[in-house]
Amino acid sequence: MDIVSQNRSFGGVQAVYRHPSNTCGCEMTFAAYLPPQSRSGPVPVLWYLSGLSCTHENAMTRGGFQEHAARHGLAVIFPDTSPRGESVADDPDDDLGQGAGFYLNATRDPWARNFRMYDYILHELRSLVLEHLPVADRHGITGHSMGGHGALTLALRNSEMFESVSAFAPIANPTRSDWGRKQLSAYLGDDESAWSHHDSTLLLEELGWKSDILVDQGADDQFLDLLRPEALADTMARRRQPGRVRLQRGYDHSYYFVNTFACDHVAWHAERLN
């Protein structure tokens, strides 16, 4: 890995790294916050997956996670949202392509060659982080919007790899939303049976989750109808799944919302990881 930048932050280090990715077939960039406790030994890891059109940088600079991670002794990994580069397919006018990886492995052209964010996060980047950074093999995962969708689906399908999961305004039921059906059909094809592996509401119904789940959703979110948090909440209630879906009065879909509740989510993960 090449170091792109390093900055002191709350006694720890906020770094950005670049590395060649065999999984995505291009160069990938990610950020990592290492708390001051990491100087004394490996610390647990909180993965933060960002939303549509974001890079690693948005949450790193606007999410406010470093102060809380330093207090609780967690490393925070901020992956990019997709492969990038001149040779990577793109369709920004239709919320597809670069910045819109949707945390799956695409099977249709022109996306299949590079868009393998599911394997990239779970296997390639995870291995790099464990090999090169002072972190323990103990992981929680969270994310916002498209990243909340990714956090929930990756955790539910791989419960042995994560100890905790939460989400900020996740795309909770993409198989029944325009934020999902368009991307799932483009990346995976028209067979809707393949889409269910990337819908947290359907996955929770089928698989459940070994512990509790925390979801925060802004009640004034301008995309509320596309996110469908009620579908996830109904499934949690019907399945008697431990957890909380909190509808936060007055909050929208922005990073002001994420920043406000970042403290709660970091503390919640720290309690389950430490």
Side-chain angles (χ1 to χ4, degrees):
M1 300 190 301
D2 294 327
I3 299 173
V4 177
S5 64
Q6 285 185 323
N7 299 94
R8 193 76 162 169
S9 178
F10 294 98
V13 175
Q14 178 61 67
V16 176
Y17 300 93
R18 184 181 295 121
H19 70 96
S21 169
N22 292 326
T23 302
C24 295
C26 63
E27 197 169 64
M28 295 293 287
T29 303
F30 73 97
Y33 177 70
L34 299 174
Q37 295 88 336
S38 67
R39 293 195 295 269
S40 302
V43 296
V45 185
L46 176 60
W47 294 79
Y48 179 93
L49 306 186
S50 291
L52 187 69
S53 79
C54 292
T55 70
H56 67 278
E57 188 174 10
N58 298 75
M60 179 187 80
T61 59
R62 299 162 64 189
F65 287 91
Q66 291 86 350
E67 178 180 6
H68 314 305
R71 182 181 307 117
H72 292 285
L74 296 184
V76 185
I77 305 298
F78 304 93
D80 202 345
T81 52
S82 76
R84 298 182 189 272
E86 292 183 3
S87 64
V88 177
D90 196 18
D91 187 1
D93 293 334
D94 210 18
D95 293 335
L96 295 167
Q98 298 185 37
F102 229 71
Y103 303 103
L104 49 73
N105 292 335
T107 57
R108 293 188 69 191
D109 292 333
W111 316 107
R113 176 184 172 189
N114 303 107
F115 284 77
R116 303 185 59 80
M117 291 301 292
Y118 182 87
D119 281 352
Y120 173 71
I121 299 292
L122 279 180
H123 303 300
E124 186 176 35
L125 185 56
R126 183 182 177 112
S127 295
L128 278 173
V129 166
L130 288 172
E131 180 179 356
H132 294 287
L133 300 180
V135 299
D137 192 6
R138 191 164 176 81
H139 307 259
I141 189 167
T142 189
H144 173 232
S145 193
M146 181 184 75
H149 141 80
L152 289 167
T153 56
L154 266 65
L156 290 170
R157 291 178 62 185
N158 302 274
S159 60
E160 76 283 0
M161 300 179 74
F162 298 98
E163 300 302 321
S164 55
V165 61
S166 73
F168 301 82
I171 303 174
N173 191 201
T175 61
R176 295 293 177 265
S177 168
D178 287 342
W179 264 8
R181 294 185 64 84
K182 175 172 57 179
Q183 289 86 355
L184 292 170
S185 61
Y187 292 140
L188 301 176
D190 296 328
D191 180 3
E192 296 192 19
S193 64
W195 300 1
S196 62
H197 300 299
H198 304 282
D199 186 310
S200 58
T201 296
L202 300 181
L203 287 170
L204 185 63
E205 181 73 57
E206 177 187 0
L207 302 174
W209 173 248
K210 61 186 178 183
S211 183
D212 49 351
I213 298 170
L214 174 63
V215 175
D216 273 308
Q217 171 64 61
D220 289 356
D221 192 317
Q222 60 271 42
F223 304 115
L224 198 57
D225 290 341
L226 294 168
L227 301 171
R228 291 182 51 80
E230 68 279 3
L232 182 64
D234 288 348
T235 298
M236 289 177 66
R238 184 172 60 254
R239 211 181 187 282
R240 298 183 180 180
Q241 169 66 48
R244 304 175 71 187
V245 178
R246 308 191 302 188
L247 200 60
Q248 302 290 1
R249 186 189 303 272
Y251 287 92
D252 59 15
H253 199 68
S254 69
Y255 273 96
Y256 296 109
F257 159 68
V258 174
N259 192 297
T260 298
F261 298 101
C263 177
D264 290 357
H265 283 248
V266 172
W268 189 86
H269 284 277
E271 183 178 344
R272 288 150 182 81
L273 291 171
N274 287 319

